[in-house]
């Protein structure tokens, strides 16, 4: 595979390779040998913020490489992200960069902005990604040699600057548009949270209560829910006795465990007709997932629901872990998911995320990092979905339980005692219908924003392609041909590389070679810090 251009080379332009214009005269540096020296550090994580870190040497945990202003950095890890950075001058401190960057040191006649924009093209990203090694993500790396044969289209020196300035202006406008879209998306998230908050505090249906003063209070609903909870438990016990062919003892109903009391700390005042109960009271089952099924992974028609499948308010089927569980395992029945079940992650980065299963799922089982909560009445499921995702509902209490935990984790005792504010049944329907309508509008607007953001990305690439066909700015027949420029670049590159090698040889002679390796490193650090 090659990254050859598919469009005609403009007049007075020239084509070469990235290897022909890449100057790498960086030297290794161990910042910990200058613990109290400040460095301007270009790390891979700081790229997303657009600003290098200014840190002391003793705060840098690995070896780096020296760079200089206007050096173009191209990231070697996970090339699909396409990280390109130009070393600026944010401080007077020595500039160093992670060894995960491939540096293109500045050369006369080559505008670093022009080179950086060229490297941001998808054609470059896709070529590097297809030639990377590793299992994926941050473990994927591109060897330095892979870059050398990539084609590079060189415009005359003055035209490079015109192209870079035009791209700066166009992309500045696009960045402003993206920022506006992202602000709108953030406002949507705030609006979503406010809708869910109002839903479980009663303000969303305040007018409904005025219009329905004689609605049955939630206390009556709770009586039916508790009776149904007990009835289901009795059916389950009778089924187990029948499977074991045992006659139920006379006092078997006395084994029934009443639901735990709710955690009443920090509860708000409730609208008239509402009651407080516990999650244990309104569910017939709160259970853990299946255990020791790793040997059954990778085959079968079953699906093992993992934490990454649970998103706030939505089940995400994009990731599927196939599983073929043994039918005799008792955890199969316990962890089998049904429609209207609520799933909550109880361990990991997204602990506390809750979603409702809205459609029937065949042979889906929760794993140990996901708890299954089955509402006693299916009609409760929709409201509990709203309540569990509301910032002033279950999320408020989950955050209380998680605060200060070294490893985010929700226990089953905490899930059971989580308080639930329960509106009257008729008001629950009004809440769910109103929330569905409002969230549907929010989702529609959010989808439009995502579409526009993707369009911006496509437009960026179209502009870049247009720029490197020579069509973005007017061409001047009086400009020096790029072929002459490349000759000077080659001479300068050779001379600077020769000077850098001579400097390294001189340093080695003065320090006695390998015997004074520590002193040589110390000298390099001091010189870089000046």
């Amino acid at each position: 595979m090659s990254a050859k251009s598919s469009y005609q080379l403009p007049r007075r332009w020239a084509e070469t390779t990235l290897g022909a214009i890449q100057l790498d005269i960086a030297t290794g540096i161990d910042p910990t040998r200058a613990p109290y020296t400040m460095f301007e550090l270009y790390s891979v994580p700081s790229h997303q913020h657009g600003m290098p870190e200014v840190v002391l040497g003793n705060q840098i945990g690995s070896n780096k490489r020296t760079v200089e202003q206007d050096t173009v950095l191209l990231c070697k890890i996970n090339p699909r992200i396409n990280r390109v950075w130009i070393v600026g001058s944010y401080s007077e401190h020595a500039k160093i960069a992670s060894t995960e960057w491939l540096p293109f040191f500045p050369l006369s006649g080559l505008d670093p902005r022009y080179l950086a924009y060229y490297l941001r093209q998808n054609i470059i990203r896709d070529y590097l990604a297809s030639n990377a090694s590793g299992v994926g993500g941050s473990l994927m790396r591109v060897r330095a040699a892979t870059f050398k044969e990539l084609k590079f289209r060189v415009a005359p020196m003055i035209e490079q600057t015109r192209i870079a300035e035009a791209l700066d202006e166009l992309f500045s406008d696009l960045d402003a548009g993206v920022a506006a879209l992202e602000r709108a998306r953030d406002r949507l998230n705030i609006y979503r949270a406010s809708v869910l908050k109002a839903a479980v505090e009663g303000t969303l249906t305040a007018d409904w209560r005025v219009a329905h003063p004689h609605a049955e209070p939630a206390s009556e609903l709770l009586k039916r829910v508790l009776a149904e909870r007990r009835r289901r438990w009795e059916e389950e016990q009778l089924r187990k006795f029948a499977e074991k062919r045992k006659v139920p003892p006379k006092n078997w109903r006395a084994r029934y465990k009443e639901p735990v009391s709710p955690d009443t700390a920090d509860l708000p005042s409730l609208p008239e007709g509402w009651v407080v109960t516990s999650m244990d009271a309104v569910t017939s089952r709160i259970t853990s997932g299946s255990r020791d099924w790793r040997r059954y992974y990778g085959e079968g028609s079953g699906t093992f629901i993992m934490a990454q499948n649970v998103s706030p308010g939505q089940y995400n089927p994009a990731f599927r872990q196939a599983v073929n569980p043994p039918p005799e395992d008792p955890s199969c029945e316990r962890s089998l998911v049904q429609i209207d079940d609520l799933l909550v992650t109880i361990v990991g980065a997204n602990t506390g995320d809750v979603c409702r299963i809205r459609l029937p799922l065949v042979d889906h089982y929760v794993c140990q990092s996901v708890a299954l909560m089955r509402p006693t009445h299916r009609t409760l499921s929709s409201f509990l979905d709203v309540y569990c995702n509301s910032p002033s509902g279950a999320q408020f209490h989950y955050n209380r339980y998680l605060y200060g935990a070294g490893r985010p984790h929700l226990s089953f005792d905490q899930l059971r005692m989580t308080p639930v504010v329960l509106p009257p049944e008729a008001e629950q329907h009004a809440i769910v219908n109103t929330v569905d309508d409002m969230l549907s509008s929010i989702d529609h607007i959010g989808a439009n924003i995502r579409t526009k953001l993707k369009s911006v990305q496509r437009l960026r690439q179209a502009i870049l392609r247009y720029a490197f066909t020579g069509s973005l700015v007017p061409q001047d027949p009086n400009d020096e041909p790029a072929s002459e420029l490349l000759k000077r670049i080659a001479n300068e590159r050779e001379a600077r590389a020769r000077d850098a090698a001579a400097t390294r040889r001189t340093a080695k002679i003065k320090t006695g070679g390998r015997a004074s390796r520590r002193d040589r490193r110390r000298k390099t650090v001091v010189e870089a810090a000046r």
Side-chain angles (χ1 to χ4, degrees):
M1 180 179 177
S2 68
K4 289 185 177 179
S5 303
S6 59
Y7 36 82
Q8 186 176 2
L9 195 68
R11 292 186 61 186
R12 313 187 79 78
W13 285 41
E15 190 170 71
T16 183
T17 63
L18 289 179
I21 56 95
Q22 193 225 352
L23 175 63
D24 184 357
I25 53 175
T27 57
I29 181 172
D30 181 359
T32 60
R33 294 184 179 276
Y36 304 111
T37 299
M38 297 294 291
F39 292 94
E40 186 176 302
L41 171 61
Y42 290 78
S43 65
V44 175
S46 61
H47 173 264
Q48 63 178 328
H49 306 297
M51 288 285 291
E53 305 168 60
V54 179
V55 291
L56 288 169
N58 59 15
Q59 297 176 344
I60 302 174
S62 59
N63 290 345
K64 306 299 177 187
R65 305 177 76 192
T66 61
V67 291
E68 61 186 60
Q69 185 175 348
D70 289 335
T71 301
V72 177
L73 304 174
L74 179 60
C75 194
K76 296 185 287 186
I77 61 172
N78 197 1
R80 285 216 170 271
I81 298 180
N82 191 230
R83 302 180 186 93
V84 182
W85 208 354
I86 301 176
V87 175
S89 184
Y90 295 92
S91 70
E92 296 180 352
H93 306 299
K95 299 170 184 13
I96 58 176
S98 165
T99 56
E100 299 293 0
W101 294 106
L102 181 77
F104 290 77
F105 276 72
L107 291 165
S108 300
L110 185 58
D111 192 311
R113 296 173 299 166
Y114 177 89
L115 173 59
Y117 278 125
Y118 190 88
L119 295 176
R120 290 188 179 114
Q121 295 181 97
N122 279 350
I123 189 173
I124 303 295
R125 181 203 65 182
D126 295 343
Y127 176 80
L128 296 178
S130 65
N131 286 275
S133 59
V135 295
S138 61
L139 298 179
M140 292 184 65
R141 278 174 173 76
V142 180
R143 293 182 299 107
T146 305
F147 297 88
K148 294 186 181 300
E149 298 306 316
L150 276 168
K151 299 299 181 182
F152 179 53
R153 298 165 66 89
V154 187
M157 182 172 63
I158 299 177
E159 189 174 348
Q160 288 180 38
T161 301
R162 293 199 300 269
I163 290 172
E165 289 175 348
L167 289 174
D168 283 346
E169 183 177 354
L170 289 169
F171 283 10
S172 176
D173 292 340
L174 287 178
D175 290 341
V178 168
L181 288 171
E182 290 176 342
R183 287 194 298 271
R185 183 176 57 188
D186 292 341
R187 287 195 293 270
L188 279 180
N189 292 333
I190 295 172
Y191 181 47
R192 175 187 292 273
S194 68
V195 168
L196 294 173
K197 182 175 186 293
V200 304
E201 291 180 351
T203 56
L204 194 64
T205 45
D207 293 339
W208 183 94
R209 287 193 298 277
V210 172
H212 300 80
H214 304 298
E216 179 190 66
S219 56
E220 295 300 315
L221 170 64
L222 184 57
K223 290 178 184 178
R224 294 194 297 273
V225 168
L226 292 175
E228 177 67 13
R229 182 181 188 273
R230 185 177 187 108
R231 187 190 67 79
R232 287 195 183 188
W233 178 85
E234 290 178 354
E235 283 186 352
E236 179 69 12
Q237 297 306 305
L238 289 173
R239 183 181 65 81
K240 290 180 179 179
F241 286 132
E243 287 178 351
K244 296 178 181 180
R245 299 184 178 181
K246 289 184 178 182
V247 177
K250 291 182 179 179
N251 63 343
W252 69 275
R253 287 185 174 86
R255 300 176 185 175
Y256 176 72
K257 292 183 179 180
E258 296 292 340
V260 300
S261 300
D263 173 14
T264 56
D266 299 321
L267 283 180
S269 58
L270 299 180
E272 185 177 354
W274 292 36
V275 295
V276 176
T277 186
S278 66
M279 187 64 73
D280 194 28
V282 295
T283 54
S284 61
R285 173 175 297 182
I286 297 180
T287 183
S288 60
S290 305
R291 298 177 174 86
D292 302 324
W293 280 12
R294 188 172 297 276
R295 60 187 181 278
Y296 305 115
Y297 285 2
E299 58 182 19
S301 59
T303 297
F304 212 33
I305 296 178
M306 315 294 280
Q308 50 264 55
N309 296 123
V310 180
S311 300
Q314 185 175 14
Y315 173 71
N316 179 12
F319 173 85
R320 179 177 182 267
Q321 174 63 66
V323 67
N324 188 21
E328 69 277 4
D329 191 328
S331 63
C332 286
E333 190 277 333
R334 185 188 73 245
S335 61
L336 181 65
V337 174
Q338 298 180 8
I339 189 172
D340 286 324
D341 283 348
L342 299 171
L343 308 184
V344 52
T345 54
I346 56 176
V347 66
N350 60 334
T351 298
D353 285 358
V354 182
C355 72
R356 177 169 70 97
I357 301 302
R358 299 169 182 266
L359 298 172
L361 299 176
V362 179
D363 291 337
H364 280 60
Y365 307 86
V366 292
C367 72
Q368 283 183 274
S369 60
V370 178
L372 183 154
M373 302 190 297
R374 182 162 295 158
T376 303
H377 274 261
R378 286 183 60 178
T379 54
L380 289 173
S381 182
S382 296
F383 174 75
L384 290 177
D385 182 24
V386 172
Y387 181 79
C388 287
N389 285 286
S390 172
S392 57
Q395 290 300 311
F396 172 77
H397 301 286
Y398 292 163
N399 289 333
R400 284 175 50 225
Y401 302 149
L402 292 170
Y403 180 76
R407 179 171 179 256
H409 175 76
L410 286 172
S411 70
F412 284 93
D413 286 341
Q414 289 169 334
L415 293 179
R416 293 187 183 96
M417 72 180 186
T418 299
V420 175
V421 293
L422 200 64
E425 186 171 13
E427 189 171 354
Q428 287 184 35
H429 295 316
I431 289 172
V432 169
N433 290 336
T434 304
V435 168
D436 283 349
D437 288 344
M438 298 177 81
L439 295 190
S440 177
S441 298
I442 291 173
D443 291 340
H444 179 70
I445 296 171
N448 285 339
I449 290 175
R450 288 192 297 274
T451 299
K452 286 181 171 61
L453 287 172
K454 290 180 180 178
S455 297
V456 170
Q457 289 301 104
R458 290 193 293 269
L459 181 58
R460 286 183 193 275
Q461 290 301 315
I463 291 172
L464 288 175
R465 287 195 300 271
Y466 196 61
F468 294 108
T469 61
S471 304
L472 185 63
V473 298
Q475 293 179 335
D476 189 339
N478 297 317
D479 286 345
E480 177 191 55
S483 57
E484 296 299 317
L485 173 61
L486 284 178
K487 293 177 184 178
R488 293 201 304 277
I489 287 176
N491 292 334
E492 181 186 352
R493 178 173 175 270
E494 182 180 349
R496 291 194 65 184
R498 187 168 54 246
D499 291 344
T503 301
R504 286 193 290 268
R505 284 196 301 270
T506 302
K508 184 175 181 179
I509 293 172
K510 288 182 178 180
T511 58
R514 293 181 180 273
S516 301
R517 190 175 184 180
R518 180 178 299 175
D519 294 336
R520 185 169 73 255
R521 286 181 176 175
R522 185 180 294 112
K523 179 178 179 182
T524 301
V525 170
V526 172
E527 289 178 347
R530 287 175 179 170

